[in-house]
Amino acid sequence: MSQAARPASPADRASTRHVPRPAPALLACLLLWSLLGLAASIGWIGGPAWRLAGAALVVASLLDLATLLRRPTPRVVRSMPDTWPIGVERSVALTLDSPARGQRLDVFDLHPGGWAMHGLPRRLALRRGASSQLDYQLRANARGDFEFAGAQLRLLSPWRLWSQSRIAGQAQRVRVFPNFAPLAKFAMFSAEQASRLLGAHLKRRRGEGTDFRQMREYRTGDSLRQIDWKATSRARRLISREYQDERNQQLVLLLDTGRRLLARDGELAHFDHVLDAALVVGYLALRQGDAVGLLASGGTSAWVPPRRGLQTIDALLRASYALQPQPVATDFLAAATELSLRQRRRSLVMLITNLRDEDIDDLMAAVQMLRKRHLVCIASLREDSLDTALGAEVHDLPGAIRAGATAQYLQQRSAAHEALRSRGVMVLDVTCAQLAASLVERYLAIKRDGLL
């Protein structure tokens, strides 16, 4: 849905006028007049002519300034979406019209700082009674609530001797969400087809699950335990029972919002990749008939109790779009305690973090607490830069030190993962690009194996 800003009132526009500044043309005239003064001092031109030129310049500049100050501020209307997906370029339209005649101005929109933009500033010539529209492209690089603080206009006086900056239009607020385009794409496919689009590798299995689905004729490849002998005797042909994966189970996404997720790969922080992947696996779980919940802990916190239905994805988006990792150490034991108190029913808990060897004791205690009731899977993010540094050629001593330190760090990280696996905990060691597919693959494998 798009929205347009209401035009600013005259009082608003008057309060946002800045002090007029001399334009380059006026400065050039002053320089020329100074050179004429130098020529007059050595007798090349007469003194009265020089003074007359100065008086004419003063009168012209004052008349030009007065005309600029009397000119009304053009009306500005901004049209853009109410909500933005992070990392996706969107178009913003500015419509300007002016009651003044032949007004020239430079336009720049006061969009949130740090966003990638092209198409501004722009110079326009406005005619009385006619509207001009300009479009520019903008890409949000952070989630949360942001504000467009109006449009900045630099008006030029009729003789181009002065310019004045004014702020026109009203401020608008926008919300930047995780990129939900993949979710819209997955809506056209079944859960298994969508998982294959993500790159998840699933083991094929026919008719074996925990919930009865239907009776059908025997097919080559069906196991003998699927055959219903009573139905077979009545129908006088082999009849098999077909089962499906159990529905109405519980998935809780436990997201680390501490300092570990402040790392960045490209434009986005690790937490942005985590949130995107969590929404993807949550959406597919809802498509499977399961209930999905979310707990964010470490820095900023959020809790969405597990619920069924595709409308749950809206609740997950609203609760998580403004979450940001904070430079604090995550207390995994506190997060496990909170989840144990909030979620009494057995669930699959997918904890997404960036595991370090110094976290292992706290995390081990948290996992042991959760495993009393829940099935736990830990996804540990690995920075792409580590793989790049380890695979780089070594030509000098600093390069050798870097490669050795990277190898030692990865070894300690692997040892922490193995310590968890030895306790029966599922651990995924993945990069940001692999995260979504790995979570979906593990979720579907757990469903098919009836582990939950």
Side-chain angles (χ1 to χ4, degrees):
M1 179 181 297
S2 296
Q3 65 178 10
R6 292 182 288 112
S9 66
D12 292 335
R13 291 196 292 269
S15 64
T16 56
R17 296 189 180 199
H18 297 280
V19 177
R21 295 177 177 272
L26 179 57
L27 297 178
C29 291
L30 290 173
L31 177 61
L32 179 60
W33 183 71
S34 300
L35 293 176
L36 290 176
L38 180 62
S41 67
I42 58 179
W44 287 2
I45 61 172
W50 174 70
R51 288 190 290 272
L52 181 61
L57 179 59
V58 170
V59 171
S61 62
L62 290 178
L63 288 175
D64 201 33
L65 176 60
T67 304
L68 174 63
L69 294 177
R70 288 198 304 269
R71 282 194 165 181
T73 302
R75 191 173 71 116
V76 179
V77 177
R78 182 191 297 107
S79 298
M80 63 179 183
D82 294 315
T83 58
W84 294 56
I86 187 173
V88 177
E89 193 170 80
R90 286 290 181 89
S91 179
V92 179
L94 294 176
T95 303
L96 300 92
D97 58 79
S98 172
R101 180 184 303 170
Q103 199 166 23
R104 289 182 175 272
L105 68 161
D106 297 326
V107 182
F108 187 84
D109 200 13
L110 299 178
H111 58 78
W115 290 18
M117 179 274 300
H118 60 85
L120 288 180
R122 195 90 59 85
R123 176 160 291 187
L124 296 177
L126 300 181
R127 295 180 298 169
R128 178 186 291 180
S131 297
S132 295
Q133 179 174 310
L134 62 90
D135 299 299
Y136 71 96
Q137 305 302 312
L138 195 60
R139 186 174 73 250
N141 58 9
R143 291 169 295 95
D145 296 305
F146 296 91
E147 183 178 77
F148 286 70
Q152 184 173 12
L153 311 177
R154 188 176 67 175
L155 277 64
L156 301 177
S157 61
W159 295 337
R160 312 291 187 270
L161 298 180
W162 298 91
S163 66
Q164 185 183 32
S165 180
R166 303 182 188 180
I167 307 298
Q170 288 191 336
Q172 285 177 262
R173 297 191 66 82
V174 296
R175 295 181 296 172
V176 180
F177 284 83
N179 184 11
F180 40 79
L183 303 185
K185 179 178 66 175
F186 295 154
M188 300 182 295
F189 302 95
S190 67
E192 290 195 6
Q193 290 172 328
S195 63
R196 293 191 185 96
L197 287 176
L198 283 168
H201 303 287
L202 306 177
K203 295 184 295 183
R204 293 183 60 86
R205 186 187 62 183
R206 177 185 294 176
E208 294 183 15
T210 56
D211 283 356
F212 176 77
R213 182 182 181 186
Q214 64 181 359
M215 291 284 205
R216 58 167 173 78
E217 288 194 23
Y218 176 86
R219 298 173 186 166
T220 303
D222 287 350
S223 64
L224 291 178
R225 62 182 179 180
Q226 286 182 248
I227 298 175
D228 188 307
W229 296 108
K230 290 184 179 180
T232 295
S233 64
R234 288 195 300 268
R236 297 182 180 276
R237 63 182 184 275
L238 290 175
I239 300 297
S240 293
R241 295 190 215 59
E242 186 172 79
Y243 294 88
Q244 63 184 3
D245 294 329
E246 186 178 346
R247 302 169 71 85
N248 196 24
Q249 294 181 319
Q250 306 261 321
L251 168 64
V252 177
L253 300 162
L254 179 52
L255 309 185
D256 181 0
T257 56
R259 62 186 180 186
R260 302 297 190 208
L261 276 300
L262 286 169
R264 304 184 76 88
D265 277 328
E267 289 187 355
L268 300 181
H270 274 194
F271 189 76
D272 292 308
H273 294 284
V274 166
L275 206 49
D276 290 345
L279 290 171
V280 167
V281 70
Y283 179 79
L284 292 177
L286 292 169
R287 291 277 302 274
Q288 292 286 89
D290 287 340
V292 178
L294 179 144
L295 174 64
S297 183
T300 51
S301 301
W303 165 247
V304 179
R307 58 184 80 164
R308 298 176 63 193
L310 291 179
Q311 68 276 7
T312 304
I313 203 68
D314 295 329
L316 295 175
L317 281 168
R318 288 193 300 269
S320 63
Y321 82 94
L323 289 175
Q324 299 292 348
Q326 302 296 324
V328 296
T330 300
D331 189 338
F332 293 107
L333 190 56
T337 302
E338 180 181 1
L339 182 57
S340 298
L341 293 174
R342 291 182 179 272
Q343 180 63 16
R344 309 298 296 180
R345 180 176 167 181
R346 178 173 170 80
S347 309
L348 169 60
V349 177
M350 285 188 157
L351 167 60
I352 311 175
T353 183
N354 185 342
L355 179 59
R356 308 289 178 89
D357 61 311
E358 60 264 30
D359 302 327
I360 190 63
D361 292 335
D362 184 35
L363 187 57
M364 192 75 76
V367 168
Q368 291 299 107
M369 175 183 294
L370 290 174
R371 290 187 65 202
K372 293 177 181 178
R373 179 176 289 114
H374 306 295
L375 182 64
V376 181
C377 175
I378 298 176
S380 180
L381 279 179
R382 184 177 71 252
E383 294 91 339
D384 287 332
S385 57
L386 295 175
D387 298 335
T388 302
L390 195 62
E393 295 185 4
V394 176
H395 301 288
D396 50 20
L397 181 59
I401 294 174
R402 188 182 307 111
T406 302
Q408 183 181 18
Y409 169 77
L410 289 174
Q411 183 180 13
Q412 293 171 344
R413 173 188 173 90
S414 179
H417 293 166
E418 290 304 319
L420 287 167
R421 292 189 182 105
S422 66
R423 300 289 184 92
V425 181
M426 291 175 283
V427 179
L428 306 176
D429 183 9
V430 292
T431 63
C432 290
Q434 301 166 340
L435 179 61
S438 298
L439 288 177
V440 169
E441 182 178 325
R442 185 53 57 98
Y443 161 75
L444 292 178
I446 289 170
K447 290 282 291 182
R448 294 189 172 214
D449 293 339
L451 299 180
L452 188 56

